[in-house]
Amino acid sequence: MKKIFIIVTLSLFAISYSQKKKDLYLFTSFREPATEGLYLAYSEDGYNWKGLEGSFLKPEIGASKIMRDPSITIGADGIYHMVWTTDWKGGNGFGYASSKDLIHWSEQQYIPVMKNEPEVVNVWAPEIFYDDVKKEYIIIWASTIPFRFEKGVEDEKNNHRMYYVTTKDFKTFSDTKLYYDPGFSVIDCVIVKKGKKDYVLVLKDNTRPMRNIKVAFGKSPLGPFEKSSEPLTEYLSEGPTVVKVGKNWLLYYDNYGSKNYKALSTTDFVHFEDVSSKISLPEGHKHGTITTISADVLKGLIEKK
């Protein structure tokens, strides 16, 4: 009877005994108009996602006090570090907070990474990556500085390039530097470590004729990256995030033109298969990033609600 009781209890949390031995997947999200803060969904297989009810961190910083594009990673310290967009327009920085269990959070900080650029239009979609070679965190984001770059058909206030800072402790940060200039307006970049000296940059070509997702390759998470690929997705798609499931990489993206979410599967980031029919996400899910969590952490998140 005791054995049966344990199995029934765990089933309430959708965690089997075998799953307690391995990590589960966690997808960060937000809901428009982005004032409610951090939403979370979890998955046992990387394809089918169940939403966790309510917000797990409400935004308190930034002029607009919103939380868009929450990006989270777990470092060697076992702590989850998260960054997010605090203002749709205006502002010269992004938000940051950390947590051991995704329930109790550090004090929210505003990191003014573009404070030396008085003309900066925005700081969009910061993405956090842990570099296990240099043992540091890399944070990249998109900003527009009018008349800084050739703009093609873009408006001067919509001509983005990618910038970055690095940090080891989130107390001191490197100077802000240009991260990626492909010669066109670019946002929503994600760094993927495919192997030793083998990195992929997933990006959104944000030019008016394109507005779709591409990839570029480099030997370091800081680049330089080669010329970007042909588009992988249709017109009006954005917010990519990548997770490895088994031998395959899944590239999730917000197919906002058609108001749905889609996914591609790949082993090499050259050949892709559309696996959108195999995925399911909570209603209203907006793009964030995917990380892993233990069954114990998930149990705490479920019990909190």
Side-chain angles (χ1 to χ4, degrees):
M1 290 298 292
K2 183 177 181 181
K3 184 177 181 180
I4 294 173
F5 175 75
I6 291 173
I7 292 173
V8 172
T9 301
L10 288 174
S11 70
L12 294 174
F13 300 108
I15 307 167
S16 70
Y17 175 76
S18 62
Q19 287 162 345
K20 285 183 70 65
K21 296 180 180 180
K22 66 179 182 179
D23 284 339
L24 304 166
Y25 303 100
L26 186 83
F27 209 147
T28 63
S29 180
F30 67 98
R31 299 289 185 273
E32 297 289 8
T35 54
E36 292 301 308
L38 176 64
Y39 281 75
L40 299 172
Y42 70 95
S43 174
E44 299 165 8
D45 61 7
Y47 288 81
N48 298 289
W49 299 85
K50 299 176 182 178
L52 292 166
E53 184 181 351
S55 170
F56 285 82
L57 182 66
K58 294 198 174 184
E60 300 173 349
I61 57 173
S64 305
K65 289 185 171 54
I66 63 170
M67 180 181 288
R68 297 178 63 91
D69 322 303
S71 172
I72 195 168
T73 193
I74 187 167
D77 55 6
I79 295 175
Y80 292 96
H81 299 276
M82 186 174 71
V83 293
W84 66 90
T85 304
T86 61
D87 296 281
W88 180 246
K89 293 182 179 179
N92 60 13
F94 52 75
Y96 165 75
S98 64
S99 175
K100 292 182 179 180
D101 57 9
L102 303 172
I103 297 172
H104 305 95
W105 290 86
S106 67
E107 182 179 356
Q108 296 177 35
Q109 298 179 48
Y110 184 79
I111 314 297
V113 287
M114 298 299 277
K115 63 183 179 182
N116 293 327
E117 295 288 352
E119 301 302 317
V120 68
V121 174
N122 54 1
V123 174
W124 274 3
E127 186 77 19
I128 190 168
F129 174 83
Y130 180 66
D131 182 356
D132 59 0
V133 177
K134 292 186 177 181
K135 311 298 182 186
E136 66 183 12
Y137 299 87
I138 301 169
I139 305 166
I140 60 176
W141 67 90
S143 283
T144 291
I145 303 173
F147 306 103
R148 180 68 56 87
F149 300 97
E150 293 186 13
K151 68 179 181 65
V153 298
E154 304 312 302
D155 183 271
E156 285 293 352
K157 292 187 176 181
N158 196 36
N159 190 25
H160 298 81
R161 295 300 186 272
M162 297 298 299
Y163 296 83
Y164 80 98
V165 292
T166 62
T167 183
K168 291 182 181 292
D169 56 11
F170 295 92
K171 296 178 181 177
T172 59
F173 295 82
S174 67
D175 291 338
T176 296
K177 295 181 181 178
L178 182 67
Y179 180 76
Y180 184 55
D181 174 17
F184 53 78
S185 181
V186 59
I187 65 172
D188 289 358
C189 287
V190 175
I191 305 168
V192 179
K193 183 175 184 178
K194 186 167 167 284
K196 186 177 181 181
K197 294 186 178 181
D198 186 4
Y199 293 83
V200 182
L201 187 68
V202 185
L203 60 113
K204 179 188 178 184
D205 181 337
N206 199 45
T207 56
R208 300 303 87 185
M210 303 301 286
R211 285 187 274 183
N212 46 35
I213 295 168
K214 302 177 177 180
V215 295
F217 299 92
K219 295 181 179 180
S220 159
L222 293 179
F225 293 96
E226 300 170 358
K227 183 179 178 181
S228 62
S229 69
E230 292 298 311
L232 309 178
T233 63
E234 60 193 85
Y235 180 61
L236 299 182
S237 51
E238 65 183 7
T241 190
V242 178
V243 61
K244 192 169 188 181
V245 179
K247 296 181 180 180
N248 296 327
W249 297 89
L250 298 183
L251 192 167
Y252 281 85
Y253 63 95
D254 189 342
N255 196 44
Y256 68 97
S258 298
K259 296 183 179 179
N260 57 29
Y261 230 90
K262 303 190 78 171
L264 302 173
S265 177
T266 184
T267 58
D268 56 9
F269 289 89
V270 177
H271 306 92
F272 293 86
E273 176 189 359
D274 189 335
V275 292
S276 302
S277 63
K278 299 179 181 180
I279 68 170
S280 60
L281 287 156
E283 184 177 355
H285 179 85
K286 298 291 292 184
H287 51 267
T289 55
I290 300 173
T291 188
T292 57
I293 56 171
S294 68
D296 287 340
V297 170
L298 177 58
K299 184 173 181 288
L301 291 171
I302 295 173
E303 288 180 338
K304 177 181 181 292
K305 297 300 179 183

